[in-house]
Amino acid sequence: YGRWQDIQNDVAFSIINEPFKMDVGKGNFLEIKNKFLARRFKLLEQALVIEEQLRRAAYLNLTQDPTHPAMALNARFAELECLAESHQHLSKESLAGNKPANAVLHKVLNQLEELLSDMKSDVSRLPATIARIPPVAQRLQISERGILSRLTGQPPPQLNMSELMSGQTLPPAFANQAPPQK
């Protein structure tokens, strides 16, 4: 398909038009519909690219480094979320006059404050850490163009000399291999 209109008019994809049948009479109907579908298609495209990147990472046996600062931030966030969810009932009990619940609530709030402070310091160090990470395409040894060509099932486009010199092409060892199946 070359245009969204082609997809919208295809009988196989008629479900796309279902939510908009009630709005056909409105003046800016097509604009609303096209903006909505454009956002959805963009999200779908991003999801497909991410799926291909994950498939490629699995194929190359790439793993996340548990000592990476971003992972520490993720662990602290999980701890913060768990602590908040497990003690959310304390505020109601404290308001009802339950003194032991009030004491526990203050301890939990102090723990949450400490975790947030730790996360704030982690976040301040994150930009420098992320700047040192090589781009996803480089780590996966595949270009965005290569990812898109695999998703569309089309042969990879002919590369020009600047792309060959930049090192953003697929290594010869992987050139004729299909992505791993789920």
Side-chain angles (χ1 to χ4, degrees), residues 144-165:
E144 283 186 37
R145 189 177 281 182
I147 290 171
L148 291 173
S149 68
R150 282 183 173 217
L151 289 172
T152 59
Q154 299 171 352
Q158 294 297 322
L159 301 174
N160 60 33
M161 190 54 99
S162 65
E163 289 173 316
L164 289 170
M165 299 301 282

Side-chain angles (χ1 to χ4, degrees), residues 22 30 39 43-44 48 54 63 65 68-69 76 83-85 89 91-92 100 118 126 147-148 158-159 161 168 182:
M22 304 211 28
L30 284 175
R39 287 191 309 266
L43 287 172
L44 178 61
L48 290 170
L54 290 172
T63 57
D65 180 9
H68 191 275
R76 283 202 173 107
L83 189 62
E85 285 181 4
H89 66 282
S91 61
K92 290 178 185 171
D118 292 344
L126 210 51
I147 290 171
L148 291 173
Q158 294 297 322
L159 301 174
M161 190 54 99
Q168 293 296 315
K182 290 183 181 178

